[in-house]
Every structure is written in structure tokens, then in C-alpha cells.
């Protein structure tokens, strides 16, 4: 080790090497989803497993632990708030990587891939009983995982949320979700009983995929996703991958009979992508200061562009002439008002991934309550269908006809992804709370959007959210930026302000 290299420098150089290896992993994973020929599947699986092994070995190396400890005791670090935050997050990553025994990780992966196959069959046959033994095994293993991670004075489920949403607890989530659920359910029932549903026929037009793709690229450029440092491709399941500095890949999918699926899917992934491009990867790549805070904050960025911008009247005022130019005659007859109303429905349904912006949150509440009870042991896996159907009735007012359209619709639990669902709704909540602050600080935001000017918004997001990397935890960032802890009111106000006019209320 050169004499001048401090423990902090050595630690950062190790994490940068790990990040570079991980960027290669992500590149081959991206290729697998996009252009890889089917014949390469076997070799690709071996490449990915080997890279994952090398990354894990480096992340858990004893030298990492020694350096982190040295940094925690080094006055040059402890006297510097930025370095202190960076080492705090490195400690977190190290703990998460080292706390699970190798056998448990292997068992989770093995059971997860088996359970996924069983889940597929059970869903096709709409038969929960087929999936139940797999779910029982997965819940037991996930509880073991929580035991290994440990939790404070809360409950085992907290240890699972912590992987995705650092230091956010089930009790904190419940304190926001419960009032949101009650008021949102009541509002949706009011809309159903008293409102006139908007005409959604402007969305039922036939548009070829290549025209939709051209519009998508135009929108990406306009809102400020940098295509010199990114791409847009097509996959079955859309995603965004911040591969490396200067390289952020988005994917989308096209349904010729509903162009807004791809339009909003692309804007959603672009929101993730603009966050990735806005992270300070130039100076901080490979350290927590160049990384995203949490899944909830990541999702707040995607939902903001997809919903808060993309479903606004101001957006359609600007976008409609361009949409006409790219998509052609099918959308000629429709006005800004008609399109805005058509994309702001609140109509309870069975399937989460097809839900509108408002009811989506209630689908998440169902999953949050059930998985929390599964992990605490209050709900035996055998009782999941009953608990599911009961909640769909009480939260959304819908009857679940079968398990395929009920508790078997998502693959998450088969993979052992428990504690993940709440981050989708947290993303909506964070987005709404940021949005109110943004509107107060950029009073002419609507006028700007209506003129296709998105730079003030993007710069605000960059300065207030993206530039900090993982310096602050999500809740702390929210308080710093908005002056208040996260709460349900901004999201409720936002949804009401969009849905009431669409339903003539
Ligand atoms: Zn997302």
C-alpha cells in the first residue's frame, strides 16, 4: 500500500472495483433480456453466476470489514459529514452482504427458482393448493433470512423491508398506509357512485409500434433523458438499468391497440433513467454517494414523470400536436381535454399491473398486510386466498373470481421478494410530497410543461434529490426537501385534483 493511501482511499478503490465488476454483470444481464440469441442461455447463466461469485467474494472480504472499521475511527472521516455518510452506507452494504450464511443464500436461490416454476403452473391452473407448499417453504426461509439480518425493537418484517427501503419499518409504513387506504377507498367509492366515467375511446386506437417508438424517443429527448448516454430498446418486461457512468439503458414494450401503455411505460422508465443519469457518478462512481437511496425514492422519480407530469393537462397541451405528428390520423379527432380525462380513471380492478394510478395503491396495501402477517406468523400460508379476497372486497369493492386473478397474479413471493411491494406505494407518496414542494418553488411549472420546457423541473430534481446519492436516508431527504415527514395528504390531494375533473365532480 502506498504511504499516502488512507484507509478511506483504499476502501473507495475497492468499492469502485466491485462497482465496475457489477456494471459488467448488469451489461450481460441487459443483453440477456434484449439481444442475446436463445442458444447462449447456458453460457450466459455460467457467466452471470461466475461474476456474481466474484462480486460476493469481494464484498464480503475481511479486508473490507477492517477498512470500514478503520474509517469509522479515523478523524479525517468522522470530521467530514460526506465521508461519514459514505462510510455509514458502506457499513450497511457490508453487513447486508456478510450476515446471510452461504447455505441460506444458496437455498433461497434454489427454492426460488423451483417455486417460480410451480407458481407458473399453479397460476395457469388457477390452483393455490399447488403453490401452497412452495410458499410455506419460502416464507420459512425468508423468516430465517430476517433472523440473520436482525431487527431493532420492531418485528421480523422490518429486517426484510430494510433491504429495499433502508431503516423504514412496518409500523411507519402502516401509519401512512392505513389512513391512505381508508380515505382512498372512500374516495374511489364516491367517484364510482357519483361520477361519470371519462370516455376512454381515445386510447383504443390502433397505432403501429414503429410510430409509437418514434414518439417515445421524441418524448425522452424532450424531457431530458440523454440519449448520448443511454438507449431505448424493447423487452417483454420494461426496465431501466443504470449500467455505468454514461450508460443508462431503458426498455419498453408496444401494444398496437393501446399506445398509452408504451408512452407511460417509457416515461416511467425514463424517470428512473433521469435519476440514474443525475447521480454524481463522475466524482462518486462506485461509492454510495454515486448511488440511488432506495427503491421507494427511485420509484418516486419514475412515477413523477409518468403520472404527475405525463397525465397532466399541461403535458397533453404540449404533447398532443407532437402525438398527432408521430402517431397520425387515429388520434386526430381527440382534444387535450379528452386525452387528459381518458388517462385519469379510478376504476377498481383485479390485476395490479393493469391498475390505474389511484387504485394501484390499494393493490399494494393488500400485499403489504398479507406479507407482513405471513412473516409475523399471524397468517398461515394456507389462508392467503381468503385473506386476499376479503381485502379486495373491502379495499377495492371487487369480488375475486379465482386465484389466477387473485393471490397467484404476482411472481414476487415465489422468488422470496417479501418486503418489496410497499416500495411501489412509497414511491407514489414521495413523488406527491416532492411534487407539492416543486410546485411551490416553481410556480409557473404548468405553463412551462405546456410549452414543453422540462429543464427547471429536471434541474430541481437533480439538485434536491439526485445529487445527494445515498447521503441521506429517504425519510430524512423527504423532511429536508419538503419540510415535513412523509404523509398521505399530498398523494390524496393529487389524486383528487386529477380524478374529480375527469369524472365531472
Ligand atoms: Zn419503476
Amino acid at each position: 500500500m502506498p504511504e499516502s493511501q488512507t484507509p478511506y482511499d483504499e476502501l473507495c478503490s475497492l468499492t469502485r472495483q466491485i462497482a465496475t465488476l457489477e456494471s459488467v454483470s448488469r451489461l450481460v444481464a441487459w443483453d440477456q433480456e434484449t439481444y442475446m440469441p436463445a442458444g447462449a442461455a447456458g453460457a450466459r447463466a455460467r457467466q452471470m453466476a461466475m461474476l456474481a461469485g466474484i462480486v460476493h467474494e469481494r464484498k464480503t472480504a475481511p479486508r473490507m470489514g477492517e477498512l470500514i472499521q478503520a474509517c469509522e475511527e479515523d478523524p479525517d472521516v468522522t470530521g467530514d459529514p460526506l465521508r461519514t455518510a459514505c462510510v455509514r452506507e458502506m457499513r450497511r452494504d457490508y453487513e447486508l452482504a456478510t450476515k446471510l450464511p452461504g447455505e441460506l443464500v444458496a437455498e433461497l436461490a434454489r427454492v426460488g427458482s423451483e417455486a417460480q416454476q410451480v407458481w407458473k403452473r399453479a397460476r395457469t391452473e388457477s390452483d393455490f393448493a399447488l403453490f401452497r407448499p412452495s410458499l410455506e417453504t419460502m416464507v420459512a426461509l425468508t423468516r430465517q433470512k430476517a433472523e440473520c439480518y436482525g431487527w431493532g425493537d420492531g418485528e421480523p418484517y422490518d429486517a426484510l423491508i430494510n433491504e429495499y427501503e433502508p431503516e423504514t419499518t412496518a409500523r411507519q409504513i402502516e401509519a401512512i398506509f392505513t389512513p391512505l387506504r381508508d380515505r382512498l377507498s372512500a374516495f374511489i367509492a364516491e367517484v364510482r357512485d357519483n361520477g361519470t366515467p371519462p370516455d376512454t375511446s381515445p386510447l383504443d386506437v390502433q397505432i403501429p409500434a414503429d410510430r409509437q417508438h418514434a414518439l417515445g424517443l421524441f418524448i425522452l429527448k424532450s424531457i431530458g433523458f440523454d440519449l448520448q448516454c443511454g438507449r431505448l430498446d424493447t423487452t417483454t418486461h420494461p426496465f431501466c438499468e443504470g449500467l455505468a457512468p454514461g450508460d443508462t439503458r431503458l426498455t419498453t414494450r408496444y401494444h398496437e391497440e393501446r399506445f398509452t401503455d408504451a408512452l407511460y411505460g417509457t416515461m416511467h422508465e425514463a424517470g428512473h433513467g433521469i435519476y440514474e443519469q443525475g447521480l454524481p457518478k463522475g466524482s462518486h462512481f462506485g461509492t454510495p454517494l454515486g448511488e440511488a437511496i432506495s427503491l421507494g425514492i427511485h420509484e418516486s422519480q419514475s412515477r413523477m414523470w409518468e403520472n404527475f407530469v405525463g397525465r397532466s393537462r399541461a403535458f397533453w397541451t404540449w404533447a398532443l400536436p407532437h402525438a398527432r405528428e408521430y402517431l397520425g390520423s387515429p388520434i386526430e379527432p381527440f382534444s387535450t381535454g379528452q386525452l387528459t380525462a381518458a388517462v385519469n380513471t379510478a376504476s377498481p380492478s383485479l390485476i395490479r399491473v393493469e391498475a390505474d394510478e389511484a387504485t394501484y395503491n390499494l393493490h399494494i396495501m393488500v400485499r403489504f398486510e398479507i406479507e407482513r402477517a405471513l412473516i409475523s406468523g399471524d397468517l398461515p400460508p394456507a389462508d392467503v386466498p381468503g385473506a386476499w379476497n376479503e381485502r379486495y372486497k373491502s379495499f377495492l369493492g371487487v369480488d375475486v373470481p379465482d386465484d389466477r386473478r387473485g393471490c397467484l397474479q404476482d411472481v414476487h413471493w415465489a422468488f422470496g421478494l417479501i418486503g418489496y411491494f410497499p416500495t411501489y406505494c412509497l414511491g407514489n407518496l414521495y413523488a406527491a410530497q416532492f411534487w407539492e414542494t416543486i410546485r411551490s418553488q416553481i410556480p409557473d411549472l404548468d405553463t412551462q410543461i405546456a410549452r414543453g420546457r422540462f429543464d427547471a423541473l429536471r434541474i430541481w430534481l437533480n439538485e434536491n434529490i439526485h445529487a445527494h446519492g445515498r447521503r441521506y436516508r429517504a425519510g430524512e431527504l423527504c423532511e429536508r426537501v419538503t419540510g415535513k415527514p412523509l404523509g398521505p395528504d399530498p398523494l390524496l390531494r393529487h389524486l383528487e385534483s386529477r380524478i374529480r375533473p375527469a369524472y365531472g365532480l
Side-chain angles (χ1 to χ4, degrees), residues 220-235:
L220 284 186
K221 265 183 238 158
S222 305
I223 66 177
F225 177 79
D226 182 357
L227 283 158
Q228 293 300 313
C229 295
R231 291 184 54 88
L232 175 67
D233 294 274
T234 311
T235 48

Side-chain angles (χ1 to χ4, degrees), residues 114-154:
E114 258 174 38
Q116 196 209 341
Q117 299 308 315
V118 177
W119 167 81
K120 262 190 199 158
R121 205 168 59 240
R123 189 176 69 155
T124 308
E125 295 176 23
S126 193
D127 184 0
F128 178 78
L130 271 180
F131 180 58
R132 196 194 42 138
S134 301
L135 183 62
E136 282 166 351
T137 310
M138 195 39 110
V139 167
L141 285 174
T142 309
R143 284 172 57 107
Q144 274 184 43
K145 185 166 86 164
E147 297 280 347
C148 295
Y149 283 146
W151 59 91
D153 51 5

Side-chain angles (χ1 to χ4, degrees), residues 162-436:
N162 180 54
E163 269 191 88
Y164 313 110
E165 204 60 33
E167 286 178 19
T168 301
T169 66
R171 214 173 294 163
Q172 288 169 343
I173 293 175
E174 182 186 18
I176 303 170
F177 278 16
T178 304
L180 176 64
R181 184 195 71 197
D182 292 346
R183 289 158 63 190
L184 192 53
S185 284
F187 173 61
I188 288 165
E190 185 207 325
V191 168
R192 182 195 58 212
D193 295 342
N194 304 319
T196 312
D199 172 17
T200 55
S201 64
L203 313 182
D204 297 330
V205 290
Q206 197 72 22
I207 314 264
D210 59 336
R211 286 179 170 245
Q212 295 188 39
H213 182 70
L215 175 67
L217 286 175
F218 172 75
I219 302 264
L220 284 186
K221 265 183 238 158
S222 305
I223 66 177
F225 177 79
D226 182 357
L227 283 158
Q228 293 300 313
C229 295
R231 291 184 54 88
L232 175 67
D233 294 274
T234 311
T235 48
T236 322
H237 301 289
F239 62 87
C240 163
E241 194 62 88
L243 280 187
D247 193 353
T248 298
R249 312 278 175 107
L250 313 180
T251 71
T252 195
R253 62 179 164 203
Y254 299 102
H255 293 132
E256 301 212 325
E257 68 290 354
R258 179 143 296 210
F259 72 95
T260 44
D261 281 359
L263 173 66
Y264 288 123
T266 303
M267 288 184 78
H268 179 100
E269 300 310 332
H272 286 303
I274 288 170
Y275 185 15
E276 287 292 328
Q277 292 187 333
L279 288 166
K281 292 183 188 178
S283 41
H284 295 297
F285 172 71
T287 81
L289 298 174
E291 294 168 355
I293 298 181
S294 69
L295 290 187
I297 296 295
H298 227 306
E299 197 64 8
S300 77
Q301 301 304 291
S302 57
R303 301 288 173 139
M304 186 169 289
W305 289 99
E306 174 194 357
N307 293 331
F308 292 74
V309 174
R311 294 179 199 276
S312 68
R313 196 181 170 96
F315 174 79
W316 279 108
T317 304
W318 164 74
L320 186 56
H322 300 289
R324 285 193 177 121
E325 180 191 329
Y326 284 96
L327 306 181
S329 56
I331 64 159
E332 279 304 334
F334 305 112
S335 68
T336 302
Q338 281 173 303
L339 275 158
T340 310
V343 297
N344 282 289
T345 52
S347 171
S349 60
L350 290 165
I351 307 294
R352 174 182 64 88
V353 296
E354 294 165 8
D356 55 61
E357 187 190 355
T359 60
Y360 187 87
N361 299 290
L362 298 172
H363 290 261
I364 297 304
M365 311 282 177
V366 174
R367 289 152 177 79
F368 165 66
E369 291 191 7
I370 290 179
E371 60 182 27
R372 187 186 185 190
L374 279 172
I375 294 303
S376 72
D378 290 344
L379 181 73
D383 294 349
V384 165
W388 183 282
N389 300 352
E390 208 175 279
R391 283 175 178 77
Y392 264 79
K393 186 70 184 170
S394 83
F395 300 175
L396 284 138
V398 297
D399 292 301
V400 178
D402 50 40
D403 294 338
R404 186 172 59 82
R405 284 170 286 182
C407 64
L408 289 176
Q409 64 182 271
D410 299 309
V411 71
H412 298 57
W413 293 339
F415 275 126
L417 276 180
I418 298 178
Y420 187 104
F421 277 122
T423 66
Y424 294 126
C425 184
L426 287 171
N428 291 335
L429 288 155
Y430 281 122
Q433 196 151 324
F434 293 145
W435 189 247
E436 286 196 348

